Amino acid sequence: QVQLVETGGGLVQAGGSLRLSCAASGRTFSTMGWFREAPGKEREFVAAIRWSGGATYYADSLKGRFTISRDNAKNPMYLQMNSLKPEDAADYYCAADPSFVLSITRARAYMYWGQGTQVTVSS
C-alpha cells in the first residue's frame, strides 16, 4: 500500500522558517514534489525533485526562499521554507509518481498524494 505522510507544518511568524518532511512507503518513486493549496485558491506547484540525480525545480516566485531535498538513505523528502510570508500560508501536499514526470508543475501528473500539512504564517 502506497502511503505519503507529511509532517512539519505549524504556526510560524512572518520571516520565520519551517521544514516539511514527506515520508513515502509502498513503492519507489522517480519524481516527487510539493504543492500547496490556500483557501479559495487552486492547488499550485511549489517544488519538485527527481529521485535519481536530484534535479530540482521550483515555482519562480519561491526560488531563493524554498529548498527541496531528499535523503536517499532514509527516504524522506524535505521542503525547507525560509523567510515565510503570510501569503505562504496553505495546506502543503506531498506528491509522488513512479514515472519521470514531464509536466512537473501539473498536479494531475502525480499519481500519489499525501493528506497534507497545514502551514500558518502570522503577520
Side-chain angles (χ1 to χ4, degrees), residues 33-54:
W34 290 96
F35 287 75
R36 68 185 184 184
E37 188 172 324
K41 296 187 177 181
E42 292 186 356
R43 190 165 296 192
E44 65 172 347
F45 171 74
V46 174
I49 190 166
R50 305 291 187 191
W51 212 254
S52 176

Side-chain angles (χ1 to χ4, degrees), residues 1-5 23-29 96-98 111-114:
Q1 180 181 357
V2 175
Q3 199 170 21
L4 302 177
V5 179
S25 61
R27 69 172 302 165
T28 57
F29 301 101
D97 198 273
M111 182 177 295
Y112 300 102
W113 289 84

Side-chain angles (χ1 to χ4, degrees), residues 1-120:
Q1 180 181 357
V2 175
Q3 199 170 21
L4 302 177
V5 179
E6 304 99 332
T7 56
L11 172 64
V12 63
Q13 286 189 332
S17 299
L18 280 176
R19 189 176 81 156
L20 306 182
S21 298
C22 174
S25 61
R27 69 172 302 165
T28 57
F29 301 101
S30 179
T31 309
M32 295 188 72
W34 290 96
F35 287 75
R36 68 185 184 184
E37 188 172 324
K41 296 187 177 181
E42 292 186 356
R43 190 165 296 192
E44 65 172 347
F45 171 74
V46 174
I49 190 166
R50 305 291 187 191
W51 212 254
S52 176
T56 57
Y57 309 83
Y58 295 93
D60 288 341
S61 62
L62 301 177
K63 286 180 182 177
R65 293 195 300 122
F66 287 18
T67 303
I68 190 172
S69 62
R70 88 281 193 250
D71 184 333
N72 276 335
K74 296 182 180 178
N75 178 317
M77 176 181 66
Y78 305 101
L79 182 69
Q80 178 68 41
M81 305 185 294
N82 298 327
S83 302
L84 283 162
K85 305 174 181 180
E87 52 263 41
D88 294 319
D91 291 328
Y92 282 72
Y93 295 89
C94 172
D97 198 273
S99 71
F100 188 90
V101 172
L102 294 178
S103 300
I104 206 161
T105 63
R106 293 186 63 193
R108 292 183 177 182
Y110 296 80
M111 182 177 295
Y112 300 102
W113 289 84
Q115 293 300 306
T117 185
Q118 188 175 51
V119 171
T120 304

